[in-house]
Amino acid sequence: MTTLTTIDAASLRAAFFRWADAMERAAPELNELDSRLGDGDLGVTLAKCAEKVRAAITTATDTVPDLLNLASHACAEASGSSFGTLMASGLLSASKWLENGKVLDKDSLPGLFKHVVQKLCLRGGASLGDKTMLDALQAIAIAVEMAPPGQHLAEVARSATAKALDEFRFKPNRVGRARMFADKSVGLDDPGMVAVLRMTQIL
């Protein structure tokens, strides 16, 4: 993904297949991380989402919003967990944002990410700074917006997520099940943020 690239449905579909493979590979790691602060099922949740998304997008679609909408419904069907619900809501928000003729490219990505973060804050009750996946998504939005022309955006996204993990590692989780272990969460990476990092590594 470079500065001049517009991501079409075919490219996004291929990325979803890579995402599904990556989530299945990362499942044991994410389960282990989540077991320290939650139910220990984040990897299971994302593996189920991956299976459903892969099946849903087997048939090609004409538009990016349609593809995001299919993936959203697949995640909703796969899991009723909080993270699965947020995945479904985030994909649906992205789909609706792009329905008004917007194209998915470098210039639109910051606005798209910020829109999704705003919607997920309302949907899940978390705020920026609570040490969740939203902080990683916001970091990506800001980094992409500030990236100079010609900068490889996949590297920008990975670097931004890694820096967000470093920034929040020694802060407490303030939302979700992990908030009950606030002191224990200091020094640990948030599993949702790690999941976002693994997602950026498919790009």
Coordinates of all heavy atoms in Angstrom, one line a residue, residues 12 16 19 45 48-50 52-57 61 64-81 83-97 99 116 120 123:
L12 N -8.7 -5.5 -1.6 CA -9.2 -5.7 -0.2 C -9.6 -7.1 0.0 O -9.3 -7.6 1.1 CB -10.3 -4.8 0.0 CG -10.9 -4.7 1.4 CD1 -9.8 -4.3 2.5 CD2 -12.1 -3.8 1.6
F16 N -8.1 -9.5 3.0 CA -9.0 -10.2 3.9 C -8.5 -11.7 4.1 O -8.5 -12.2 5.2 CB -10.4 -10.1 3.6 CG -11.2 -9.0 4.2 CD1 -11.9 -8.0 3.5 CD2 -11.1 -8.8 5.6 CE1 -12.5 -7.0 4.1 CE2 -11.8 -7.7 6.2 CZ -12.5 -6.8 5.5
W19 N -5.5 -11.6 6.1 CA -5.9 -11.3 7.5 C -6.4 -12.6 8.1 O -6.1 -12.9 9.3 CB -7.0 -10.2 7.4 CG -7.7 -10.0 8.8 CD1 -7.2 -9.2 9.8 CD2 -8.9 -10.6 9.2 NE1 -8.1 -9.3 10.8 CE2 -9.1 -10.1 10.5 CE3 -9.8 -11.5 8.6 CZ2 -10.2 -10.5 11.3 CZ3 -10.9 -11.9 9.4 CH2 -11.1 -11.4 10.7
T45 N -11.9 -16.1 19.3 CA -12.9 -15.2 18.7 C -12.4 -14.8 17.3 O -13.2 -14.8 16.3 CB -13.0 -13.9 19.6 OG1 -13.7 -14.3 20.8 CG2 -13.9 -12.8 18.8
K48 N -12.6 -17.6 14.8 CA -13.9 -17.8 14.3 C -14.3 -16.7 13.3 O -14.9 -17.0 12.2 CB -14.9 -17.8 15.5 CG -14.8 -19.0 16.4 CD -15.8 -18.9 17.5 CE -15.8 -20.1 18.4 NZ -16.7 -20.0 19.6
C49 N -14.0 -15.5 13.6 CA -14.2 -14.4 12.6 C -13.5 -14.7 11.3 O -14.1 -14.5 10.2 CB -13.8 -13.1 13.2 SG -14.8 -12.4 14.6
A50 N -12.3 -15.1 11.4 CA -11.5 -15.4 10.2 C -12.2 -16.5 9.3 O -12.3 -16.3 8.1 CB -10.1 -15.9 10.6
K52 N -15.4 -17.3 9.2 CA -16.6 -16.8 8.7 C -16.4 -15.8 7.6 O -17.1 -15.8 6.5 CB -17.5 -16.2 9.8 CG -18.1 -17.2 10.8 CD -19.1 -18.0 10.1 CE -19.8 -18.9 11.2 NZ -20.9 -19.7 10.6
V53 N -15.4 -14.9 7.8 CA -15.1 -13.9 6.7 C -14.6 -14.6 5.5 O -15.0 -14.2 4.4 CB -14.0 -12.9 7.3 CG1 -13.5 -12.0 6.1 CG2 -14.7 -12.0 8.3
R54 N -13.7 -15.6 5.6 CA -13.1 -16.3 4.5 C -14.3 -16.9 3.6 O -14.3 -16.8 2.4 CB -12.2 -17.3 4.9 CG -11.4 -18.0 3.8 CD -10.5 -19.1 4.2 NE -9.4 -18.7 5.0 CZ -9.2 -18.9 6.3 NH1 -10.1 -19.6 7.0 NH2 -8.1 -18.5 6.9
A55 N -15.2 -17.5 4.3 CA -16.4 -18.1 3.6 C -17.2 -17.0 3.0 O -17.7 -17.2 1.9 CB -17.2 -18.9 4.6
A56 N -17.4 -15.9 3.6 CA -18.3 -14.9 3.1 C -17.8 -14.2 1.9 O -18.6 -13.7 1.1 CB -18.6 -13.8 4.2
I57 N -16.5 -14.1 1.8 CA -16.0 -13.3 0.6 C -15.4 -14.2 -0.5 O -14.7 -13.8 -1.4 CB -14.8 -12.4 1.1 CG1 -13.6 -13.2 1.7 CG2 -15.4 -11.4 2.2 CD1 -12.4 -12.3 2.0
T61 N -17.0 -9.4 -4.9 CA -18.0 -8.3 -4.9 C -17.4 -7.1 -5.7 O -16.2 -7.0 -5.9 CB -18.3 -7.8 -3.4 OG1 -17.1 -7.4 -2.8 CG2 -18.9 -9.0 -2.6
V64 N -15.9 -1.9 -2.6 CA -15.2 -2.0 -1.3 C -16.3 -2.0 -0.1 O -16.2 -2.8 0.8 CB -14.2 -0.9 -1.1 CG1 -13.7 -0.8 0.4 CG2 -13.0 -1.2 -2.0
P65 N -17.3 -1.0 -0.2 CA -18.3 -1.0 0.9 C -19.0 -2.4 1.0 O -19.3 -2.8 2.1 CB -19.2 0.1 0.5 CG -18.4 1.0 -0.3 CD -17.4 0.1 -1.1
D66 N -19.3 -3.0 -0.2 CA -20.0 -4.3 -0.1 C -19.2 -5.3 0.6 O -19.7 -6.1 1.3 CB -20.4 -4.7 -1.6 CG -21.5 -4.0 -2.2 OD1 -22.2 -3.3 -1.4 OD2 -21.7 -4.0 -3.4
L67 N -17.9 -5.3 0.3 CA -17.0 -6.3 0.8 C -16.9 -6.1 2.3 O -16.9 -7.1 3.1 CB -15.6 -6.2 0.2 CG -14.6 -7.3 0.5 CD1 -15.2 -8.7 0.1 CD2 -13.3 -7.0 -0.2
L68 N -16.7 -4.9 2.8 CA -16.7 -4.6 4.2 C -18.0 -4.9 4.9 O -17.9 -5.4 6.0 CB -16.4 -3.1 4.4 CG -15.0 -2.6 4.0 CD1 -15.0 -1.1 4.0 CD2 -13.9 -3.1 5.0
N69 N -19.1 -4.8 4.2 CA -20.4 -5.1 4.8 C -20.5 -6.6 5.0 O -21.0 -7.1 6.0 CB -21.5 -4.6 3.9 CG -22.8 -4.7 4.6 OD1 -23.0 -4.3 5.7 ND2 -23.8 -5.2 3.8
L70 N -20.0 -7.4 4.0 CA -20.0 -8.8 4.1 C -19.1 -9.3 5.3 O -19.5 -10.2 6.1 CB -19.4 -9.5 2.8 CG -20.4 -9.6 1.6 CD1 -19.6 -10.1 0.4 CD2 -21.5 -10.5 1.9
A71 N -18.0 -8.7 5.4 CA -17.1 -9.1 6.5 C -17.7 -8.7 7.9 O -17.5 -9.4 8.8 CB -15.7 -8.4 6.3
S72 N -18.4 -7.6 7.9 CA -19.0 -7.2 9.1 C -20.0 -8.2 9.6 O -20.1 -8.6 10.7 CB -19.7 -5.8 8.9 OG -20.5 -5.5 10.0
H73 N -20.9 -8.6 8.7 CA -21.9 -9.6 9.0 C -21.3 -10.9 9.4 O -21.8 -11.6 10.3 CB -22.9 -9.7 7.8 CG -23.8 -8.6 7.7 ND1 -24.8 -8.3 8.6 CD2 -23.9 -7.6 6.7 CE1 -25.5 -7.2 8.2 NE2 -25.0 -6.8 7.1
A74 N -20.2 -11.3 8.7 CA -19.5 -12.5 9.1 C -19.0 -12.5 10.5 O -19.1 -13.5 11.2 CB -18.4 -12.8 8.1
C75 N -18.4 -11.4 10.9 CA -17.9 -11.3 12.3 C -19.0 -11.3 13.3 O -18.9 -11.9 14.4 CB -17.1 -10.0 12.4 SG -15.5 -10.0 11.6
A76 N -20.1 -10.6 13.0 CA -21.3 -10.6 13.9 C -21.8 -12.0 14.0 O -22.2 -12.5 15.1 CB -22.3 -9.7 13.3
E77 N -21.8 -12.8 13.0 CA -22.3 -14.2 13.0 C -21.3 -15.1 13.8 O -21.8 -16.0 14.4 CB -22.5 -14.7 11.6 CG -23.1 -16.1 11.5 CD -23.2 -16.6 10.1 OE1 -23.1 -15.8 9.2 OE2 -23.4 -17.8 9.9
A78 N -20.1 -14.8 13.7 CA -19.0 -15.7 14.2 C -19.0 -15.6 15.7 O -18.7 -16.6 16.4 CB -17.7 -15.3 13.7
S79 N -19.2 -14.4 16.3 CA -19.0 -14.3 17.7 C -19.8 -13.2 18.3 O -20.0 -12.1 17.8 CB -17.5 -14.0 18.0 OG -17.3 -13.7 19.4
G80 N -20.3 -13.5 19.5 CA -21.1 -12.4 20.3 C -20.2 -11.8 21.3 O -20.7 -11.0 22.2
S81 N -18.9 -12.1 21.3 CA -18.0 -11.5 22.3 C -17.8 -10.0 22.1 O -18.2 -9.5 21.0 CB -16.6 -12.2 22.2 OG -15.9 -11.8 21.1
F83 N -15.1 -8.3 21.6 CA -14.2 -7.9 20.5 C -14.8 -8.3 19.1 O -14.6 -7.5 18.2 CB -12.8 -8.7 20.7 CG -11.7 -8.0 19.9 CD1 -10.9 -7.1 20.6 CD2 -11.5 -8.3 18.6 CE1 -9.8 -6.5 19.9 CE2 -10.4 -7.7 17.9 CZ -9.6 -6.8 18.6
G84 N -15.5 -9.4 19.0 CA -16.1 -9.7 17.8 C -17.2 -8.7 17.4 O -17.3 -8.4 16.2
T85 N -17.9 -8.2 18.4 CA -18.9 -7.2 18.2 C -18.3 -5.9 17.7 O -18.8 -5.3 16.8 CB -19.7 -7.0 19.4 OG1 -20.4 -8.2 19.8 CG2 -20.8 -5.9 19.2
L86 N -17.2 -5.6 18.3 CA -16.5 -4.4 17.9 C -15.9 -4.5 16.5 O -15.9 -3.5 15.7 CB -15.3 -4.0 18.8 CG -15.8 -3.5 20.2 CD1 -14.6 -3.3 21.1 CD2 -16.5 -2.2 20.1
M87 N -15.4 -5.7 16.1 CA -14.9 -5.9 14.8 C -16.1 -5.7 13.8 O -15.9 -5.0 12.8 CB -14.4 -7.4 14.6 CG -13.0 -7.6 15.2 SD -11.7 -6.8 14.2 CE -11.9 -7.7 12.6
A88 N -17.2 -6.3 14.1 CA -18.4 -6.2 13.2 C -18.8 -4.7 13.1 O -19.1 -4.3 11.9 CB -19.5 -7.1 13.7
S89 N -18.8 -4.0 14.2 CA -19.3 -2.6 14.2 C -18.3 -1.8 13.4 O -18.7 -0.9 12.7 CB -19.4 -2.1 15.6 OG -20.4 -2.8 16.3
G90 N -17.0 -2.0 13.6 CA -16.0 -1.2 12.9 C -16.0 -1.4 11.4 O -15.9 -0.4 10.7
L91 N -16.2 -2.6 11.0 CA -16.3 -2.9 9.5 C -17.5 -2.3 8.9 O -17.5 -1.8 7.8 CB -16.2 -4.4 9.3 CG -14.9 -5.1 9.6 CD1 -15.1 -6.6 9.7 CD2 -13.9 -4.7 8.5
L92 N -18.6 -2.4 9.7 CA -19.9 -1.8 9.2 C -19.8 -0.3 9.1 O -20.2 0.4 8.1 CB -21.0 -2.2 10.1 CG -22.4 -1.7 9.7 CD1 -22.8 -2.3 8.3 CD2 -23.5 -2.1 10.7
S93 N -19.1 0.3 10.1 CA -18.9 1.8 10.1 C -18.1 2.2 8.9 O -18.4 3.2 8.2 CB -18.3 2.3 11.4 OG -19.1 2.0 12.5
A94 N -17.0 1.4 8.6 CA -16.2 1.7 7.5 C -16.9 1.6 6.2 O -16.8 2.4 5.3 CB -15.0 0.8 7.5
S95 N -17.8 0.6 6.1 CA -18.6 0.4 4.9 C -19.5 1.6 4.6 O -19.6 2.1 3.5 CB -19.4 -0.9 5.0 OG -20.3 -1.1 3.9
K96 N -20.2 2.0 5.7 CA -21.1 3.1 5.5 C -20.4 4.4 5.2 O -20.9 5.2 4.4 CB -22.0 3.2 6.8 CG -23.0 2.1 7.0 CD -23.8 2.3 8.2 CE -24.9 1.2 8.4 NZ -25.7 1.4 9.6
W97 N -19.2 4.6 5.8 CA -18.5 5.8 5.5 C -18.0 5.9 4.1 O -18.0 7.0 3.5 CB -17.3 5.8 6.4 CG -16.5 7.1 6.5 CD1 -16.8 8.2 7.2 CD2 -15.3 7.5 5.8 NE1 -15.9 9.2 7.0 CE2 -14.9 8.8 6.1 CE3 -14.5 6.8 4.9 CZ2 -13.8 9.4 5.6 CZ3 -13.4 7.4 4.4 CH2 -13.0 8.7 4.7
E99 N -19.6 4.5 1.5 CA -20.8 4.4 0.6 C -21.0 5.7 -0.2 O -21.7 5.7 -1.2 CB -22.0 4.0 1.3 CG -22.1 2.5 1.6 CD -23.3 2.1 2.4 OE1 -24.0 3.0 2.9 OE2 -23.5 0.9 2.6
V116 N -14.1 5.4 12.4 CA -14.3 4.1 13.0 C -14.1 4.2 14.5 O -14.8 3.6 15.3 CB -13.5 3.0 12.3 CG1 -13.5 1.7 13.1 CG2 -14.0 2.7 10.9
L120 N -16.7 3.3 17.4 CA -16.5 2.2 18.4 C -16.4 2.8 19.8 O -16.8 2.0 20.7 CB -15.2 1.5 18.0 CG -15.2 0.7 16.7 CD1 -13.9 0.0 16.5 CD2 -16.4 -0.2 16.7
R123 N -20.0 2.8 20.6 CA -20.5 1.4 20.7 C -20.1 0.7 21.9 O -20.8 0.0 22.5 CB -20.1 0.7 19.4 CG -20.6 -0.7 19.3 CD -22.1 -0.7 19.1 NE -22.7 -2.1 18.8 CZ -23.0 -3.0 19.8 NH1 -22.8 -2.6 21.0 NH2 -23.5 -4.1 19.5

